[in-house]
Every structure is written in C-alpha cells, then in structure tokens.
Amino acid sequence: MKLTRREFLRRGGALAGMWTGLSQLGEPVLAFLRTRGARWPWYRPDEVRITYNYCDMCMWRCGMLVYTVNGRVVKVEGNPKDPKSRGRLCGRGQAAVAHLYDPDRLRKPLIRTGERGTWSFREATWEEALDRAAEALTRLRDQYGPESVAWFAHTTGDFWFGDYLPLAFGSPNVGKPATGLCLTPREVAAQLTFGRGVGGHEPVDWENTRYIVLIGNHIGENAHNTVMQDFARALAQGAKLVVVDPRYSTAAMKAHRWLPIKPGTDTALLLAWMNVLITEGLYDREYIEKYTVGFERLAEHIRPFTPEWAAPITEIPAEVIREVAREMAAHRPQVVIPPGRHVVWYGNDTQRMRALFILNVLLGNVGRRGGLYLPRAPALDPYPHPPFPVEVAAGGCGAAAVGIRIPDTPGHPPRADGVGSKFATGPVVIQELIEPMITGQPYPIRGLVVYGVNLFHSIPNVPRTIEALKRLEFVLAIDVLPQEHLAWADIVLPEATFLERYDELWVASHRIPYIALREPAVEPLPDTRPGWWIARELGLRLGLADYFQWSSIEEYLNTRLMSVGLSLDRLREAGGVFTWPGKPYLEDYGEGETPFPTPSGKIEIYSEALARAGFDPLPVYEPVEEPPPGYFRLLYGRHPLHTFGKTQNNPWLAEVYPENEVWVNDEAAAALGLKNGDLVLLENQDGVRSGPVRVRATPRIRKDAVYLVHGFGHRGSRLSRAEGRGASDNLLITRYRLDPISGGAGMRVNFVRLIQEV
Amino acid sequence: MPRYGMVIDLSRCMGCRACMEACKVENNTPQAIFWMYVFRFEEGEFPNVRQWFMPRPCMHCDNAPCVKVCPVGARYKREDGLVATDWERCIGCRYCEVACPYGVNYFNWKRPDRNYYLDWGVPELRSITSGAVPPYRNPDLDQPYGEEKRRIAGGGHVKGVIEKCTFCVHRVEKGKLPACVANCPVQALLFGDLDDPESVVSRVLRQKPHFRLLEELGTEPRVFYVGGKPPGPETRQIEPVRARM
Ligand code: SF4
Ligand code: SF4
C-alpha cells in the first residue's frame, strides 16, 4: 500500500525528476564495458525526455508515456492520467518500442518498375512519389469522377486517409475494416434501438456490475487494456460470470458457468432468455414502461421461444437456460450482457445484436449502475475548413459520436457499396467496395488508396481482392511495414510510426469524455513521414489547398484545442490527457431530456424503421448452414499479444507467440489420427488451402469447430519474422454472408477439413 | 530494512503476458530470455475443463541454492530479500543455473546487445545518433545498486554472463513497483514489504490460503501464489514452452 501510494505521487508529480542519476555512471563500469566490446556511452547524460502519446498497437488507444534518451526510445509506460491505460499497458503496447525499431520497416518511397503482384520497385524521393501519386489520382478524378477512387484506412491515421482527404477529394467510397468487418451490426442495432451507437469503448459499467454474461466475447485474449482491468476488478468484487462460447476461452476460465453453445445459435439463446424473463415476470416493468416502446409486441413474439425450444438448437440444457435467466433477473439492474466488438459472424448479426440489447433493456440496465452506461464525447470543433463535397460516414472504431444513418448527399455520387440495395443502412462497408472494382457495378472503382489496412488479412475472399487489384488503374499504399498487399501497389509511401509523429487528437467517447495527445518522441526514421504530412502534401498537389490552410500540425492541433480553451502546452501541462464530466446514467438527464434520440424518443424494442424497410421488427433466430461431414466450422479470434495481422513481425511479440495453432477438440483430433503438435493443412469448402499449421488438440473446444488466432500465415510479405508462420484464417474465409440490414460480412460460415502434412 | 516479496493471484491472471513484455521493455532482456514467464495449463475433459496460468519470476529464495553454489560470490542475497547477481563479477560457470530448481537463470551465449533493433550502424542512420552506434537500453540498468554499490540491475546482457529477474531493483530502490507488477492489467501481481503488516502483500497473505513453488525443497521462496494451486499430475501444459521450468 505504502509503495503504491508513493509510486502514484511520484508518477503524478515528479516525472521530470526521474532518471537523473545518469551522470553518476562511474568510470570503472565504462572501462569494463569497453573491454566487453560495447561502445559506451552512446547517450549524453541527463537527456531523458518524456513525451505523451496514445498507443496505436491496437485501436484501443491507451494513454502512454514515452521515454527517450538522446533521440532513442528506450521504453514506454502507461500514462497514469489516462482513463484507458491508468498507468498500465497491455503486452502489445509495451512492445511498441520493438515496432518502432523493427528492422523490416519501410524506409523509402517506392515506385513500381515491374509487374503488379511482385516486389519490383525502385526507390524514389518524396517529391517524385507524391507528384506521381497526385498525377494519377487527378487523372482518375478528371476522367471518371472522384468516386472512382476508393480509400481504405485503419489505425489512428485513418482520420487523414479515411475521414478527411477522401471527403475533400470528393469520394464517398471510404472504407474502414472496423465497420463491415467488425462493428457494423452492433452499431446499426444500437442506432435502431437506442438512437445512438455503442462506440469504440464499450460502455459497460463494470465497476458496479454484479452479473456478467459474455456472448463469444473473449476478454483476456482480446487484450483491450481497460476492459481487462475492469473485468478483473468486477470479478474480484464478486461479480458472477457466464460465458457463452463454443470455445473455452480465457474469459470462460473465470466463469461460474461456461455454456459451450453450438455455433451460430446465440440468437435462439437470447430469445429464450427473454422468454423466461417475460413469462416469469422477472423483467423490469417500471423501466420498460418509462423508457421503451413495443414491449407488448415483444411479449407476444417471444411466446414460442421457450428454453425447451432453444435447448436442442443451442445444445444448452433448458434448465441451465432458465437458471441463468433467473440469476440475471435476481441481480438486475446490476447485470450486463456486454455488446462485444467483433460481431460479424453469421450474416444475421444485426438481429442478434438487437436481441442482445433488448435483453439488457428487459433487465432495466441501460443508463443504470452496473449495466450499460451512456457515453459522451467531448465537443471539440474541427479545424475550420470549407464544407466537403460529399458527406459520408466511414464509421470506424470510435464512431459512436457520429450518427451512422447517412443518406447520400444530393447531387453527388452515391456510395458504391450497395447501401439501399444490397443492405439497408449503416456506414460504408469496406468489403463491398471490392466488387465494383471488378464488375463496374454500380459504377467502376478504378483507383485505391490504402492506408494501414492489410488487404489480404482483413478483407475476406482474397482471390476476389486479387482480381480487383489486377483491374485497378492505380494503387497507392501508405504503410509502416512491407505487408504483402504492397506488392500490388504502384506507389508505396513509408509512414512514420505513431511514436515518431503528431497525430489528430484522440477524442474519446467515454464515461469520462476526454482527449489525448500524441506527440513525437523521436524524429521519424529518415525518409519516413507522418500521415498528416503525407495527407497534406497530397492534398496540396490535388488542388485541395483550401482544406489544408494550416501549415504545421501544431497549428492545426492548437486551433482545434482553442475551441475548448486549451492548447498543446496546456494539454501537456495537464499530463497529455484532458477530461470532462460525463453523463453516464439516466438520472443525469433532466425532465424532458432523453438520452435516446430515436424517433419515439424511447428505446425501440419494436423497430418501426425495420418494419418499414421490410425486415423483422423484432429479433428472430435463423438457423445457419451446418458444416458438411468431415468439416469443422472455422472460428477465429485474438491472441493477447497480437493485433490483427500487423504485429506478427514485432520482434518481442513474435518471440513469445511466433505462430498460431489450430485448436481441435482432442477427441476429434484423435479420431483423425492427429495429436498435439502435428502439422496439418487446412482446406476450406472451396478447396483453398492454408500453409502448414500445428495442431493444438484440446478439450477446450467443441467437436464441430476449429479455432485459429487471426492474423498469421503471412505470405508474400517482406516481413522476416512473420512470413510463412502459421495459418491465415482470412485466406480460408473465401465466403461471407452479408447482413442484409447493416452490411456486415458474416465470416463464421466457412468450413475446413484437416489434412495431415506428410 | 523492508523484506520484499511478491504475491501472484492466479485467480486473477488472464495469461495476457503484459508482464513478460513489460519486463522486456524495462530490462531489455535479450532474445529468448524471459526473466518473467507465464506458464499455461489445462485440466479435465470437455466440457468439464479448466485452464489456468502461472507467471514465474525469480523466486528470490531466502535459502537460495544459487547463492550457495556461486564460487565467486557474484550471486548474493541482499538484506531486503532480493537475490542479486553482480554481473561484473560473474564468471559464467553456470553453477547457479544448475542449482536453481525454478529454471530462472539464463546464460548469455552470444553478445546480446544487437539482437532486436535496426542496425544503427548503417551510415544513413548515423545522423540520428550523432554518429554513435548504441546498444540502446534503459540507462538505469547501468547504475550501481544497494549499500554494496554493485552492478546488479542490468543482469549483464553481456556475453558469458548469467542473468535473471532482479525484482526490478532499480525501480524498487526508487520506491516504484517492479515493471511486471506495475503493468499487469488485472493486478494479479502484487509486490511489497512482507514485514509491513499493512502492505498489500501481507494483507493478501493473511486473508488467503497460499502456496510456494516446490516448497518441499526448503528454498524458502519469496514469491507466494494465491487463488490457485501448483501444477499436479493431472495438469497438461497448453503450449510449447519458450522458457525453462
Ligand atoms: S490495449 Fe494494448 S495495444 Fe491496445 S492501445 Fe492499449 S496498450 Fe496499446
Ligand atoms: S500481466 Fe498479469 S494477467 Fe497478464 S499474464 Fe502477467 S500476471 Fe497474468
């Protein structure tokens, strides 16, 4: 206790006083080191500097302190002032140092000299590369219109390449993998039900909850720092936990009940729980009356969905279903079924997410302590700029603050992703922008700017993506590492890492609304440039000077900060983070003020909007296709030390987890003559084969599914540590089921068989 | 003089290995050397399975076999309980490695200082470092520590020298927690003065049943586990281990 408090004071108040002992380095040790061959000392004493940052090793964006000595980053720590990190970083965050100093980093702008699909480039100056890129983009714009260029973006710089430059350029075709490949069904379901999105930081009131039900939400493997912290605290305070997952996940090991549900049947379980809550009168009557519409219709609708109905479907005993429902009710409103993040599973995911939200509502927990709080974003003005020619929502990880029902701007090109025809509503979905590159429908996309998105690891149906790439007239890629899709780019621009650059402020929608600063800790590697600089240089060359009236990023940031009475200096003085009071609970809203901006001003259990659009206004369960004999359903997830397909090359992370394994039920493996550690190939229903991957035979998964950690199996990259290691789930996801409501790409509809390597 | 010890709450640990990475970044340990390692276990049959994780730092034993066997006195027990290695004095005989039942010692067979990073010897990069070619590291690791003023923090990172967890002596002496403890997102790792009844470690040990690893050997470890049990015959290791045990 004493230690902790002392440490807290030290960190809070006296950061600058640390590491002052450098000059005491004695001569004997120097002499000793010299004899051992070390060139020493390489730093000038007393040059330790701390800069503020927010972590970009995943999109959770934990506040970070970066320690540099003589222009070298030596370590990172969590920023104790930051509401997300609270002084701690996950393993990936710690390894940011190794990301910065990854020897494989791109170091020069590259211009294609040979065939697309091969690594044939020559090095170029920034001037030349930018001029050429701008020329190509200008030509496409002049010839086919700005909508003929699609922009794909991920990681923090996606502000520049997903939200700012493309809109100034005039293209509505801006895709972020965080939408159609991750969050879209959840955001659309929340929008329909509550009139507001969920947002990047799931608003679970962990600290007050007594009972948690996770639906396939693998906290602990999904290592979002704050979630792990809060989840562990809730459990330590005695909260009960139920985990519904075909796989015994890290979260499941903390559960008092693990329900090994049959994959694809979660909605049936959710409906049965509603059935018990309503038929047994266990729901929150008062809450329902005060805050919701459409309950009567739900009560009618769920009548047939008894636990006995759900039991054979889900393979969870009716008694267990009933008991869990009663336990939930006994703890309400301090009970929560968190929405999870990656929810694009089966193509009917908006319905499942609606069911999940409505279950929370029946328990009366939305806007209540121990349930789902109501997040809020700080109100910060954008840097003043002329209106964009198109208005479109790219969505993204932190998109809750933005309304997502975005109509096409009249008089401007419509989105090419098929909103309104292939699916009903929501932000642009990235995977549906591939088709127009091939078919030219609804109109051709001829150019692509891809920033920080690995085209072959995030977007399903890789053969289709390759076909699209072949047809594109121009591809510009901006990245830090030589990922495989760069081999298809015409021009490659090497970006500086997040530790080497300023960036847009992180404006967090949160219980405590806050903003966080990212400032460079060290100079960028020679010939790499920050994203904002690249965007600005491109913008100027594209004739968009009106949108880049600032000449330095400091000026840009200071102008934005001015709108809330801050400046870069004041943000630094405040410790890199500035917070505002939130309005997390219903009682924070006055009479006549609703936190639910739906048409009815209430939580819409029955959705008129869905009914009008021809969809089921109340959640329904649809069975999903079963794996054929000899095949397993392919499930995938996260490893706590890796983020998607972008960290496999990180020296520190690769050292601990260099390759994924395929989890197979131990009995199923034995029946196939496989044992732990055997090498197998995975072949999917379309005959696509992965590289060799080791078997992890384990009782921690059902017999009808196999599981891979996502992001491995890099092929054709120039990533020396990641190349050829493990199997790529995305390669095996050759098909997906489009969610007709939100446009999410349901990806757990692929089947694989195991072929023993001989 | 405090008597430092660690408590590891197995019921909280989620096996995320932030502790291992925090150790890497704090102590700049070379490739394939893990002062902290998280072992992963499973038990039972579907659907009655169990999984658990066991972080393993150096045990900083009170009756440390490694200290007894060191012929040059490089391995020693400090008054505050830390088992330290004076790497300036270590002759690389590896007796300690053999004597330790917990496998926490690592020998540097190669020069470890250039393991991970860009080759800053490349001429075009020299401008950044004013011409120097640094093996870069946390400068705190090169200070002398303790009343004896011995070189114990860096663990060496020098060819021919043994190294292991130092309980982050360079942080502890400044009143900070070891890096793994300070970073564990779920606060499964606790550190403090076992002699102070108010310290978090003492309180937890009073409240919860605990065990130490290989207690029967009489090494008197300073690392206590709560909220779980040691691996038994029914326990299976989940994945190939990248550290010794
Ligand atoms: S969760 Fe980990 S990787 Fe993600 S931002 Fe936080 S520290 Fe970084
Ligand atoms: S950081 Fe904490 S939770 Fe993660 S593995 Fe280490 S002890 Fe366990």
Side-chain angles (χ1 to χ4, degrees), chain A residues 281-589:
Chain A
L282 301 174
Y283 63 96
D284 191 331
R285 222 172 277 268
E286 233 173 275
Y287 185 93
I288 294 290
E289 261 165 40
K290 189 152 179 213
Y291 297 108
T292 72
V293 294
F295 172 77
E296 294 313 319
R297 302 222 213 184
L298 178 74
E300 189 65 29
H301 173 72
I302 50 81
R303 210 172 283 166
F305 307 130
T306 59
E308 286 68 26
W309 164 82
I313 297 173
T314 58
E315 298 184 5
I316 299 168
E319 259 333 287
V320 174
I321 298 177
R322 193 163 269 122
E323 280 165 22
V324 172
R326 289 175 185 158
E327 285 173 15
M328 284 192 238
H331 290 90
R332 74 175 162 78
Q334 289 170 288
V335 43
V336 65
I337 305 103
R341 290 185 76 84
H342 179 91
V343 293
V344 286
W345 297 349
Y346 299 104
N348 50 13
D349 305 301
T350 306
Q351 292 288 1
R352 183 183 72 250
M353 293 316 293
R354 284 253 305 144
L356 182 146
F357 288 131
I358 293 170
L359 181 62
N360 278 295
V361 169
L362 290 180
L363 295 161
N365 71 359
V366 180
R368 289 264 189 80
R369 282 188 175 69
L372 294 165
Y373 69 79
L374 304 162
R376 219 183 173 201
L380 210 58
D381 289 346
Y383 190 97
H385 63 77
F388 291 131
V390 291
E391 287 290 344
V392 70
C397 299
V402 190
I404 55 169
R405 232 192 123 78
I406 304 297
D408 294 318
T409 317
H412 285 281
R415 287 155 52 172
D417 65 348
V419 67
S421 54
K422 284 190 192 168
F423 64 97
T425 184
V428 185
V429 289
I430 193 169
Q431 81 280 356
E432 298 312 312
L433 292 176
I434 305 283
E435 208 79 14
M437 299 175 184
I438 302 171
T439 63
Q441 296 304 326
Y443 55 80
I445 290 180
R446 299 176 195 269
L448 173 65
V449 180
V450 50
Y451 170 87
V453 177
N454 187 317
L455 298 178
F456 301 150
H457 279 275
S458 52
I459 304 175
N461 197 350
V462 172
R464 183 182 70 166
T465 305
I466 290 179
E467 183 57 32
L469 285 167
K470 283 185 184 155
R471 292 177 190 235
L472 287 172
E473 291 179 27
F474 176 67
V475 180
L476 168 64
I478 303 150
D479 221 309
V480 172
L481 288 168
Q483 305 262 19
E484 41 267 71
H485 67 283
L486 300 196
W488 292 90
D490 299 301
I491 295 178
V492 174
L493 302 178
E495 201 197 4
T497 64
F498 70 97
L499 296 175
E500 301 163 292
R501 65 184 201 230
Y502 277 107
D503 222 317
E504 177 59 306
L505 298 161
W506 169 224
V507 181
S509 177
H510 205 260
R511 175 206 291 277
I512 310 160
Y514 75 93
I515 55 175
L517 169 68
R518 168 177 295 161
E519 56 180 348
V522 290
E523 286 286 304
L525 210 60
D527 274 333
T528 67
R529 297 284 187 274
W532 64 264
W533 183 91
I534 301 172
R536 184 170 180 279
E537 289 293 317
L538 267 180
L540 296 178
R541 283 169 170 79
L542 291 167
L544 303 173
D546 283 357
Y547 294 94
F548 295 95
Q549 290 174 18
W550 39 277
S551 54
S552 76
I553 187 75
E554 287 97 326
E555 177 193 336
Y556 172 92
L557 295 172
N558 269 321
T559 307
R560 281 206 76 190
L561 286 167
M562 220 151 59
S563 69
V564 284
L566 287 173
S567 65
L568 279 177
D569 285 340
R570 288 200 51 198
L571 190 49
R572 281 191 195 102
E573 278 160 31
V577 171
F578 199 88
T579 60
W580 283 268
K583 273 173 102 169
Y585 303 118
L586 288 168
E587 69 235 34
D588 300 324
Y589 288 78

Side-chain angles (χ1 to χ4, degrees), chain A residues 88-91 220 228 232 254 640, chain B residues 8-10 12-22 36-40 53-56 179-181 183-189:
Chain A
R88 292 165 194 263
L89 297 174
C90 85
M228 284 202 295
K254 308 291 183 195
Chain B
I8 300 183
D9 187 343
L10 300 179
R12 290 187 87 134
C13 175
M14 302 192 74
C16 73
R17 288 161 272 189
C19 49
M20 290 173 66
E21 297 293 341
M36 171 60 108
Y37 195 83
V38 180
F39 292 90
R40 299 160 59 80
F53 310 128
M54 201 185 72
R56 182 235 51 194
C180 55
V181 178
N183 273 290
C184 170
V186 304
Q187 306 188 25
L189 307 175

